Amino acid sequence: MTPANLAATVLSAARAVFETRGLDVSALPETTTVERPRNPEHGDYASTLALQLGKKAGVAPRELATALAAELGRQPGIKSVEIAGPGFLNIRVDAAAVGILARDIVTAGANYGHTDTLHGDRINLEFVSANPTGPVHIGGVRWAAVGDALSRLLRAAGATVGTEYYFNDAGSQIDRFAKSLYASAKGEPAPEDGYGGAYIAEIATAVRAEAPDVLELGEPEALETFRRVGVDLMFAEIKQSLDEFGVHFDVYFNEKDLHERGELQEALDRLRAQGHIFEADGATWLRTTEFGDDKDRVLRKSDGDWTYFAADCAYYLDKRERGFDRVVIMLGADHHGYIGRMKAMSACFGDDPERNLEILIGQLVNLVRDGEPVRMSKRAGTVVTLEDFVDALGVDATRYALARYSSDSPINLDIAVWTKAGNDNPVYYVQYVAARTANVARNAAEVGLTKDGKFDPSLLVHEKENDLLKALGEYPEVVARAAELREPHHVARYLEEVAGAYHRFYDKCRVLPQGDEPITDLQRARLWLNDATRTVIANGLGLLGVSAPERM
């Protein structure tokens, strides 16, 4: 019995009580929850439903709790119900009803934890979207880990998800990139507003390898070659880095396509039809102040050039017209001021900004060695890159570490902690359980202990077995909550709780027979519990894009 199953049973009992007493069933909520009490002496789970419904029903909460307790006591799997305080329900569940969960989890396998809480939602999730003017830097690395984990979470919660990388291949930053490559190829220093680092020299050399006569061209033609070939080479490197990091996108969207397909003009026409466009000082403006923005925004400048914001409008409209009802964009901390204008733009299109557009802001992250931030990249010169991160921590530790914290919190990741083979390293602590459960299963097979034959869940009565089972039963709710809140870190913290519960179970509850001991039904039941733990750990790590090793 999972917490969700029990919560549904509590709600069903409440409906029966209401119908029997002739109370208004419309006062009942669509869903309710149960919680694990901090003090195990108060039962396995607690419900506050009687307290919540008493006033609405016109019945004293404790009187309602008494009726609920009686109804719940008749439900299969409920051992006892006690009333505490003004109307708290403390519920104890039969061992067999809890223990059966071990078999249910193993049977469900990779699907355990999947829900339909977001079924029907069509979500476009854009993340990383680093400019193709250099390697993915430390901020982009955080979004790569968190964004990919979030896409997995949303799908596990039943949403239809399209992941997207917005490729800024138009604009002044690309001009500066091309000029920097051109200068490097000629052996000159980078322009004052250009890009530095060893990678510029590498890309410039690669461009010359593809276009050997590039320096013999006139400057405009040479710059265009460095722009075209250099951007392609840089973006190919970015995609390869992300691929090696385990991050893949459904769509790589080129900003240049918006210009070439006339989508900026289409967006402008749509906004004009909505009545939010005005002309001033020779420029075309969007009246975003009508929807809470701090100032109106220029879409087309007086010289006829489009602004970046115009491309943002066209890109948003493109996503919506592709059938996505919710557009989620992940941005760095330096883009916090972007939220107001984007929300206003959504409203200008006639959308509901709270429903159709979400902007998630990620705070800064530092890689720390010996207490000091690692600030310089060997290739990029001024920033820490994805490759630097992986070289320092490895893919699994990097992904887990970055997904373990709320994105709106700055973090410092200590290289010494995240590379240590010990319980102080959270990813090691969790992966060790994955390996230990696999090892137990291998050893069980060697001595002839299998899950075949009788499975008696009522034998799993030890306190540590019960604690582990209750922890495993919470996984579907954790996944659903993390997806709804857009916060993958809930999964990581949950996995660490499960790991602790498993270690305590392993220390107190022997799974394998010793010597010539005969195999017992209790050991067989414990093997189911061991394998259920492996399933949950592997599923949870999979949502974070982290491996669940069979050996360590």
Side-chain angles (χ1 to χ4, degrees):
M1 179 177 289
T2 66
N5 297 146
L6 179 58
T9 299
V10 171
L11 192 57
S12 176
R15 177 172 289 277
V17 168
F18 270 51
E19 290 175 346
T20 299
R21 292 187 164 218
L23 300 175
D24 182 8
V25 295
S26 67
L28 294 171
E30 291 186 6
T31 60
T32 188
T33 59
V34 296
E35 297 181 352
R36 290 167 61 186
R38 292 185 179 181
N39 185 347
E41 294 181 1
H42 294 165
D44 297 317
Y45 296 98
S47 170
T48 60
L49 188 60
L51 293 171
Q52 298 168 23
L53 293 177
K55 186 175 181 179
K56 292 181 179 179
V59 180
R62 190 170 178 91
E63 179 185 344
L64 186 57
T66 301
L68 270 172
E71 181 65 29
L72 280 170
R74 292 190 283 270
Q75 303 303 314
I78 304 295
K79 184 177 181 181
S80 66
V81 185
E82 297 174 357
I83 305 166
F88 294 99
L89 293 173
N90 292 332
I91 305 168
R92 286 179 170 80
V93 184
D94 286 336
V98 178
I100 198 69
L101 181 63
R103 187 174 65 187
D104 291 345
I105 292 172
V106 174
T107 301
N111 289 323
Y112 180 64
H114 286 212
T115 70
D116 60 358
T117 55
L118 297 182
H119 177 72
D121 281 5
R122 291 182 54 80
I123 300 173
N124 181 283
L125 177 62
E126 180 200 340
F127 58 101
V128 183
S129 294
N131 288 336
T133 54
V136 179
H137 59 74
I138 195 167
V141 180
R142 185 174 197 178
W143 276 138
V146 175
D148 189 62
L150 180 54
S151 72
R152 297 166 187 246
L153 266 172
L154 293 171
R155 289 182 175 120
T160 299
V161 182
T163 57
E164 200 141 319
Y165 187 116
Y166 185 52
F167 179 31
N168 294 97
D169 55 350
S172 60
Q173 81 277 6
I174 300 298
D175 293 334
R176 295 197 300 271
F177 178 62
K179 290 176 181 177
S180 301
L181 295 176
Y182 187 39
S184 176
K186 294 191 297 181
E188 299 174 356
E192 186 175 343
D193 59 349
Y195 297 93
Y199 79 94
I200 288 292
E202 294 171 9
I203 297 292
T205 300
V207 172
R208 293 190 64 187
E210 288 200 21
D213 62 345
V214 64
L215 294 182
E216 299 173 13
L217 302 173
E219 183 170 324
E221 293 82 1
L223 284 172
E224 177 55 32
T225 300
F226 278 107
R227 167 197 279 268
R228 175 177 50 80
V229 180
V231 165
D232 286 347
L233 290 170
M234 190 73 256
F235 194 53
E237 182 178 313
I238 290 172
K239 290 174 71 173
Q240 181 178 346
S241 297
L242 290 169
D243 182 71
E244 292 171 353
F245 195 53
V247 176
H248 313 280
F249 291 88
D250 298 319
V251 172
Y252 290 92
F253 193 100
N254 288 29
E255 179 187 353
K256 187 168 58 177
D257 290 344
L258 293 171
H259 293 262
E260 293 178 350
R261 294 197 298 247
E263 293 192 41
L264 280 82
Q265 185 63 51
E266 179 186 338
L268 175 60
D269 293 342
R270 185 75 63 87
L271 293 166
R272 192 184 300 278
Q274 293 285 340
H276 302 300
I277 295 295
F278 68 98
E279 309 292 332
D281 302 323
T284 302
W285 298 69
L286 181 64
R287 193 174 280 109
T288 52
T289 51
E290 290 185 350
F291 299 99
D293 195 7
D294 59 344
K295 62 181 180 180
D296 295 324
R297 303 291 169 174
V298 177
L299 295 180
R300 199 162 199 170
K301 295 182 286 187
S302 57
D303 62 5
D305 287 344
W306 295 101
T307 62
Y308 286 120
F309 186 60
D312 292 333
C313 294
Y315 187 34
Y316 173 80
L317 181 61
D318 183 278
K319 291 176 179 178
R320 293 283 286 120
E321 291 190 333
R322 279 185 274 144
F324 293 105
D325 51 56
R326 196 180 294 270
V327 173
V328 181
I329 307 172
M330 295 180 153
L331 299 173
D334 56 338
H335 286 78
H336 196 277
Y338 212 62
I339 298 176
R341 76 187 71 168
M342 291 294 288
K343 290 284 189 178
M345 173 267 292
S346 172
C348 287
F349 276 118
D351 284 349
D352 177 356
E354 300 308 310
R355 161 68 184 165
N356 300 117
L357 177 63
E358 295 178 36
I359 298 179
L360 309 179
I361 299 293
Q363 295 299 322
L364 299 177
V365 53
N366 289 311
L367 192 60
V368 176
R369 180 186 286 115
D370 299 327
E372 296 295 328
V374 177
R375 299 189 183 279
M376 303 291 285
S377 167
K378 293 177 181 177
R379 287 190 71 230
T382 57
V383 296
V384 177
T385 68
L386 173 54
E387 289 78 8
D388 298 324
F389 242 119
V390 172
D391 286 346
L393 304 184
V395 170
D396 277 352
T398 297
R399 291 191 61 134
Y400 189 97
L402 292 171
R404 185 177 183 262
Y405 301 92
S406 174
S407 298
D408 59 9
S409 300
I411 52 175
N412 293 319
L413 301 182
D414 192 321
I415 293 174
V417 170
W418 289 94
T419 56
K420 182 180 180 181
N423 290 344
D424 292 339
N425 178 351
V427 69
Y428 180 89
Y429 186 63
V430 174
Q431 286 186 316
Y432 186 73
V433 172
R436 173 170 271 185
T437 52
N439 186 57
V440 167
R442 283 193 300 271
N443 291 337
E446 289 177 2
V447 299
L449 171 58
T450 70
K451 298 191 295 294
D452 297 333
K454 181 181 179 182
F455 169 57
D456 187 350
S458 67
L459 297 175
L460 298 173
V461 296
H462 193 282
E463 176 188 0
K464 302 307 177 187
E465 294 166 344
N466 189 260
D467 289 345
L468 179 54
L469 281 162
K470 285 190 285 190
L472 298 177
E474 292 179 353
Y475 179 63
E477 290 185 53
V478 170
V479 172
R481 183 172 69 252
E484 183 177 356
L485 297 176
R486 318 299 196 234
E487 294 179 342
H489 70 274
H490 290 291
V491 175
R493 299 308 178 103
Y494 164 79
L495 291 176
E496 290 162 34
E497 293 178 12
V498 171
Y502 179 81
H503 286 309
R504 292 186 288 273
F505 157 78
Y506 184 88
D507 290 342
K508 297 294 184 180
C509 303
R510 185 159 46 85
V511 178
L512 302 174
Q514 292 183 326
D516 295 329
E517 287 181 352
I519 293 172
T520 66
D521 288 340
L522 175 59
Q523 289 165 336
R524 185 172 290 108
R526 286 175 173 172
L527 181 59
W528 277 98
L529 181 51
N530 174 84
D531 290 2
T533 304
R534 163 91 190 165
T535 297
V536 170
I537 291 289
N539 289 358
L541 286 174
L543 290 178
L544 302 178
V546 178
S547 68
E550 295 192 357
R551 290 180 171 83
M552 288 182 70

